[in-house]
Amino acid sequence: MARYLNEAQAAADGFTITHEPDRSRYAITASGPDGGRVVGEAHYTLRGDDAIDFDHTVVVPELRGTGLSGLLANRAVTGEAVGQRRVEASCSFIDGYLQRHPEVLGGSAGSPAE
């Protein structure tokens, strides 16, 4: 099983991460003959202009442990949906990612537990 350390490696194997604002999510799509299928997502809820809450993250079981979840989390918490908003994480995966990588948000990540 491949281990992806960056989006370029994942893209070389047909995985792309995109922002789908109409669905309030960042999605990982695997290319395929039918145009691709969503194999992971990080869903969020906007809390006005001040905050964004990442409330659900999932990657299909067969791709867990490949690094795709971490790439998805990174893109989500640094993507255009965040803007100047405070990042909250009611999703335990995103919360754990931010605890392991405080540098991603300059050490200013918030969570409902704080």
Side-chain angles (χ1 to χ4, degrees), residues 34-93:
D34 61 353
R37 74 176 178 119
V38 173
V39 296
E41 74 172 7
H43 184 269
Y44 61 85
T45 300
L46 297 178
R47 306 278 187 220
D49 292 333
D50 299 330
I52 183 171
D53 177 29
F54 288 94
D55 50 33
H56 176 72
T57 305
V58 66
V59 170
V60 295
E62 63 267 23
L63 293 174
R64 292 179 188 159
T66 63
L68 288 172
S69 298
L71 295 177
L72 176 61
N74 182 274
R75 172 65 83 85
V77 301
T78 62
E80 63 271 8
V82 172
Q84 298 299 310
R85 293 177 175 93
R86 180 183 70 255
V87 173
E88 298 175 352
S90 58
C91 167
S92 61
F93 183 82

Side-chain angles (χ1 to χ4, degrees), residues 1-13 15 17 63 65-75 97 101 103-104:
M1 181 181 303
R3 175 82 177 142
Y4 302 105
L5 301 176
N6 58 56
E7 285 190 47
Q9 290 175 337
D13 281 350
F15 297 103
I17 301 173
L63 293 174
T66 63
L68 288 172
S69 298
L71 295 177
L72 176 61
N74 182 274
R75 172 65 83 85
Y97 179 84
H101 302 280
E103 73 281 359
V104 171

